[in-house]
Structure formats: structure tokens, C-alpha cells
């Protein structure tokens, strides 16, 4: 993990570089994540904490679970978030059955990430005027 990555995540999320670095470190140590997806997934973890209060570690664990068993974890996460189409599930399952574990993990994680990004944007869009003003004050203080 580099300082540049932490700075990029901080810029994308409004978080401090320290918080961004912690999210990146957590992903690096506990989840099998492509280097190309590292910043994206760290940003999702930070934004999830900001918008919902869920700990960064909880989101990191979800990505880690998808890395350990993309088929089972996708089904489990879908029970909570209802984001997975039958077609994508079948693709994940087929990739795993063909021995293409890395591709199955990538598809599972990226599908989950896309859904999370959509949901987080909707949550942020639903903030009231007072909440948006308070967020502007708190972001300015960072």
C-alpha cells in the first residue's frame, strides 16, 4: 500500500489519509483483492461507514468472504442486499466450477461493489439540507 493510494482514496471519499490507509491495509491483509480494485473497494468501505455507520472492517470482511468462496458468499450477501441477478450468479458459479477461481472472485467482488456504489449514491442523495450542511462542515474540518 502506498501513500499515493491512500491520498487517492481520501480525495475520493473526503476521509483522512489515515482512515484511507487503514481501509487499504485492512483490504490488503484480509481480502484477496486485485490491485486494480483496491482503491475502489477501500472507498466503498469508507463511504459505507460514512453513510450507514457500518464499520470499515465489516465491509472489508464482505469482500474477504467473496474472495474465500465467491458462490456461497454471493448467495449470503444477496439475502441481505438483493443485488445479484440469476445470470451473474450462474456466471460466478460456472467460473468456479471451471477452476477459474480468480475470475469468479473478481466477478463476485465487482458485482457487489457496483451494487454498493449505487446504493451509497442513493443514500447520499436522500440526505436532507441540514445533514448536507453538517457534512460540509465536518468535511471542511478534515
Amino acid at each position: 500500500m502506498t501513500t499515493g493510494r491512500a491520498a487517492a482514496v481520501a480525495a475520493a471519499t473526503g476521509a483522512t489519509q489515515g482512515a484511507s490507509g487503514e481501509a487499504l491495509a485492512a483490504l490488503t491483509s484480509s481480502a484477496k483483492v486485485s490491485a486494480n480494485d483496491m482503491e475502489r473497494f477501500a472507498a466503498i468501505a469508507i463511504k459505507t461507514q460514512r453513510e450507514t455507520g457500518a464499520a470499515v472492517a465489516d465491509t472489508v470482511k464482505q469482500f474477504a468472504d467473496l474472495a474465500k468462496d465467491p458462490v456461497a458468499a454471493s448467495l449470503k450477501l444477496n439475502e441481505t442486499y438483493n443485488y445479484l441477478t440469476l445470470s451473474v450468479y450462474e456466471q460466478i458459479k460456472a467460473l468456479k466450477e471451471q477452476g477459474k477461481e480468480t475470475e469468479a472472485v473478481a466477478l463476485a467482488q465487482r458485482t457487489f461493489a457496483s451494487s454498493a456504489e449505487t446504493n451509497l449514491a442513493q443514500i447520499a442523495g436522500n440526505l436532507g439540507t441540514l445533514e448536507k450542511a453538517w457534512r460540509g462542515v465536518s468535511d471542511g474540518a478534515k
Side-chain angles (χ1 to χ4, degrees):
M1 194 240 353
T2 66
T3 305
R5 281 185 183 250
V9 173
T13 63
T16 64
Q17 282 193 30
S20 299
E22 288 174 15
L24 286 164
L27 279 165
T28 300
S29 68
S30 66
K32 185 170 87 176
V33 174
S34 152
N36 295 333
D37 292 322
M38 189 68 63
E39 290 174 22
R40 179 183 183 200
F41 296 170
I44 290 168
I46 290 168
K47 288 178 182 178
T48 299
Q49 182 176 40
R50 178 180 182 168
E51 302 298 346
T52 70
V56 167
D58 293 341
T59 304
V60 168
K61 183 181 181 318
Q62 292 169 330
F63 283 111
D65 290 347
L66 287 165
K68 288 177 192 161
D69 188 343
V71 175
S74 291
L75 286 174
K76 183 178 180 202
L77 288 169
N78 194 56
E79 289 174 9
T80 302
Y81 300 106
N82 195 30
Y83 70 97
L84 196 60
T85 65
L86 179 60
S87 173
V88 172
Y89 169 75
E90 288 174 346
Q91 288 175 345
I92 294 167
K93 187 176 177 186
L95 286 167
K96 186 170 181 181
E97 288 171 352
Q98 294 167 10
K100 298 178 180 178
E101 186 78 19
T102 302
E103 291 92 337
V105 168
L107 179 58
Q109 288 177 330
R110 290 176 184 157
T111 302
F112 180 68
S114 293
S115 174
E117 289 166 333
T118 299
N119 291 338
L120 291 166
Q122 289 174 344
I123 291 168
N126 289 334
L127 291 177
T129 304
L130 180 61
E131 292 151 321
K132 287 178 183 175
W134 180 251
R135 176 162 294 162
V137 169
S138 68
D139 285 353
K142 290 181 183 172

